[in-house]
Amino acid sequence: MAMSTPSSQAGEPPAAKPTVVLVALWGVSHFAPMVEVGKRLLALSGGHSLAVDVLVVPSPTGKWEAEIFERIRREEASGLDIRFHHLPAVEPPTDYMHIAGIEEFVSRYVQLYVPHLKAIVVSGLACPVAAVVIDIFCTTLLDAPQELGVPAYVFLISSAAMAAVLLRSPSLDEEVPAQIEFVELEGGVDVPGLPPVPASNLPTGLDNRKIPTYKWFVYNGRRYMETDGIIINTIADLEPGVLAAITDGRCTRGIPTPPVYTIGPVVAIAPPAEDKHECVRWLDSQPPASVLFLCFGGGGGYFSVAQVHDIARGLERSGHRFLWVLRGQPEPGTKLPTDANLAQLLPDGFVERTKDRALVWPARAPQKEVLAHAAVGGFVTHCGWSSITESLWFGVPTLPWPHAAEQHFNAFMLVAEMGVAVGMKLDKERSNFVEAAELERVVKALMGDGEAARKVRERAMEMKAACRKAVEEGGSSVVSLQRLHDALIQGAVEPKK
């Protein structure tokens, strides 16, 4: 099988150290945390006890390709002993244009890589193999390590609550008659360890039992039970109730789950840049905790003109300071947002009227640097888990504005379970539209001096303290990572030929 590696590893003898094989998807929000897990495992022993190889699954559309290659280049330049292998391109499922959800597409697409994964593990990597680690919806790849007799783990870049939903889905599917949709269940959906979950807050695809994507949710949840461990990008103290429900088998009808490793937050925090970004320089002139930060993820963040106008009106009427990352619509034939033309998108006179208390930034912004700034007092987020963990790490309360995937479920968790957010009403039938009056209401509720604002701020600071404590010596995430490290070494085997 043809395989290219950007590293200069060709011709070197195989390392004797057990090798952890990370199968990384093309999306940056999946790729970056997976690589970070490898880096943390290496850091435990200075790279003396384990080797890490990353298999890069190519994007079927080319989306994120340039950014992934740039990240690989930076990792290689750092001198860290991680080897990257680019898997060959394969034809996606023939009906991919008609697949309803990304979860179904990923499950079926990566299944085509089972032969390639087997070939690399058998002949292209060092032996013995400590584990093959797959991503959240990639359990079709489990066929490869099972046939080779090597350990396999699943890594969830999302919450323990998401793990609970997936583990619960097979039994839930059996308990609820097939003709009944979850939205018809009185009192919400039962997920042990959580408050009753409104069906409208279930991950997209799991909320509609009539589409094929739903079956793939259940399929992946069932196959988690075949793994040697479940690695989750969370912190034990953030989700104690749901983690207890997972580990004692309440999500799986009393059947013991594989060991669970909570190693989060898997957030790479770089030191502040010497040359400050313009957004950060603007924040330097603002009072502490006075600015509302609006940012909707690296791959999204664009809206219709009608929605932009309602956001602008709501922010202006709120009277509070804000930093708004506003992106433009993608170019034809692409999916990534462009730099915004503010004159075309914003209402007439908006920038002039708000110039003394606001900055609208039309390009990508350094989200982590902004959230770390003392002037930021609130965060309007699309509720991707990476963004949530960053907000928790820096102790910034949120206004959740979910769009798709598991974001509605994450928003529910932030408000109902963690208490670090003020809930916002949005119209799912109108692409999650938020009216100006509603945005004005929640901005005042979060950024004002009322009881609701005080509670979410206090809770956010508690979460910040829990995050920091978890990654200190003896902290829960450090201990869990060490347990994982030891299990990988002890379980290492040579693959069957």
Side-chain angles (χ1 to χ4, degrees):
M1 181 196 66
M3 178 179 69
S4 63
T5 70
S7 303
S8 57
Q9 308 294 333
E12 294 182 8
K17 294 177 291 188
T19 299
V20 179
V21 181
L22 306 175
V23 185
L25 292 182
W26 56 89
V28 171
S29 62
H30 289 253
F31 179 87
M34 183 72 85
V35 174
E36 185 67 20
V37 170
K39 292 165 68 174
R40 293 188 181 189
L41 287 170
L42 288 177
L44 279 179
S45 63
H48 299 304
S49 57
L50 285 172
V52 173
D53 285 68
V54 179
L55 310 189
V56 184
V57 180
S59 167
T61 63
K63 182 181 179 181
W64 297 118
E65 190 172 79
E67 187 161 352
I68 293 296
F69 272 81
E70 174 58 23
R71 284 175 178 259
I72 290 174
R73 187 196 65 76
R74 292 202 302 267
E75 295 294 350
E76 291 179 328
S78 72
L80 200 61
D81 188 21
I82 296 180
R83 297 177 295 189
F84 293 89
H85 307 264
H86 292 269
L87 296 176
V90 300
E91 288 295 323
T94 55
D95 59 345
Y96 78 98
M97 292 296 291
H98 304 288
I99 294 175
I102 186 63
E103 301 82 8
E104 176 187 357
F105 177 82
V106 169
S107 297
R108 292 175 56 190
Y109 179 64
V110 300
Q111 189 171 26
L112 301 173
Y113 281 95
V114 168
H116 302 295
L117 177 55
K118 287 175 61 179
I120 288 180
V121 171
V122 168
S123 61
L125 300 179
C127 290
V129 175
V132 172
V133 182
I134 61 169
D135 210 326
I136 179 171
F137 288 108
C138 296
T139 61
T140 50
L141 284 174
L142 288 175
D143 294 347
Q146 287 176 351
E147 291 175 25
L148 298 174
V150 301
Y153 292 70
V154 61
F155 172 50
L156 277 71
I157 62 167
S158 53
S159 63
M162 184 65 177
V165 167
L166 285 160
L167 288 164
R168 171 81 171 110
S169 63
S171 56
L172 188 66
D173 184 61
E174 294 174 7
E175 293 166 14
V176 179
Q179 68 272 19
I180 296 178
E181 289 290 338
F182 294 139
V183 71
E184 301 172 49
L185 297 178
E186 186 175 347
V189 177
D190 171 42
V191 179
L194 297 176
V197 181
S200 60
N201 290 124
L202 288 172
T204 304
L206 194 58
D207 58 350
N208 184 350
R209 304 179 77 190
K210 296 183 178 66
I211 61 175
T213 300
Y214 168 81
K215 297 179 177 61
W216 284 100
F217 266 93
V218 176
Y219 172 91
N220 280 282
R222 183 177 292 114
R223 294 208 69 180
Y224 283 1
M225 298 295 285
E226 302 173 25
T227 66
D228 293 273
I230 301 172
I231 308 166
I232 309 177
N233 180 19
T234 193
I235 297 162
D237 290 340
L238 297 190
E239 303 181 84
V242 72
L243 283 166
I246 292 172
T247 54
D248 67 17
R250 278 181 281 150
C251 295
T252 49
R253 290 181 173 175
I255 302 172
T257 59
V260 173
Y261 303 94
T262 54
I263 65 168
V266 182
V267 178
I269 306 296
E274 292 184 11
D275 186 15
K276 289 185 179 180
H277 190 277
E278 186 171 335
C279 291
V280 177
R281 292 200 301 271
W282 180 81
L283 287 170
D284 286 343
S285 64
Q286 309 304 315
S290 66
V291 176
L292 179 70
F293 177 44
L294 298 91
C295 187
F296 301 91
Y302 55 88
F303 294 96
S304 67
V305 173
Q307 180 65 92
V308 169
H309 280 218
D310 267 56
I311 295 172
R313 285 193 290 269
L315 292 173
E316 185 173 0
R317 294 172 188 169
S318 77
H320 287 281
R321 300 170 189 269
F322 60 88
L323 168 56
W324 180 9
V325 178
L326 176 60
R327 309 300 305 280
Q329 293 281 344
E331 296 287 350
T334 68
K335 295 184 178 181
L336 294 177
T338 57
D339 291 353
N341 184 323
L342 299 184
Q344 292 180 357
L345 280 174
L346 292 169
D348 291 341
F350 172 77
V351 172
E352 180 64 24
R353 292 193 301 273
T354 61
K355 66 180 181 180
D356 293 333
R357 60 181 174 91
L359 174 64
V360 183
W361 187 253
R364 298 190 70 166
Q367 179 171 290
K368 283 180 281 195
E369 289 183 50
V370 171
L371 288 172
H373 202 285
V376 174
F379 181 29
V380 182
T381 172
H382 69 304
C383 293
W385 188 247
S386 293
S387 292
I388 289 172
T389 55
E390 290 170 11
S391 69
L392 296 175
W393 178 262
F394 293 113
V396 180
T398 55
L399 292 176
W401 191 338
H403 293 99
E406 85 289 4
Q407 296 164 11
H408 288 278
F409 182 64
N410 291 342
F412 168 77
M413 286 290 299
L414 288 174
V415 176
E417 181 68 5
M418 294 185 181
V420 295
V422 173
M424 181 160 52
K425 297 177 183 177
L426 46 85
D427 188 346
K428 291 185 74 173
E429 299 299 320
R430 297 172 61 196
S431 299
N432 303 300
F433 197 93
V434 174
E435 302 280 354
E438 174 63 6
L439 183 60
E440 177 187 358
R441 180 189 72 82
V442 294
V443 170
K444 289 179 176 178
L446 181 70
M447 301 299 291
D449 298 322
E451 183 66 11
R454 184 187 64 79
K455 286 183 177 180
V456 295
R457 287 174 192 152
E458 288 180 356
R459 187 62 178 150
M461 293 307 293
E462 291 172 5
M463 292 293 192
K464 175 182 177 179
C467 289
R468 306 301 173 103
K469 182 179 179 181
V471 297
E472 294 174 354
E473 185 176 354
S476 61
S477 293
V478 174
V479 170
S480 192
L481 185 68
Q482 185 67 58
R483 284 178 47 236
L484 173 61
H485 177 273
D486 295 346
L488 292 170
I489 293 175
Q490 293 165 10
V493 296
E494 293 198 12
K496 299 175 184 177
K497 301 296 183 180

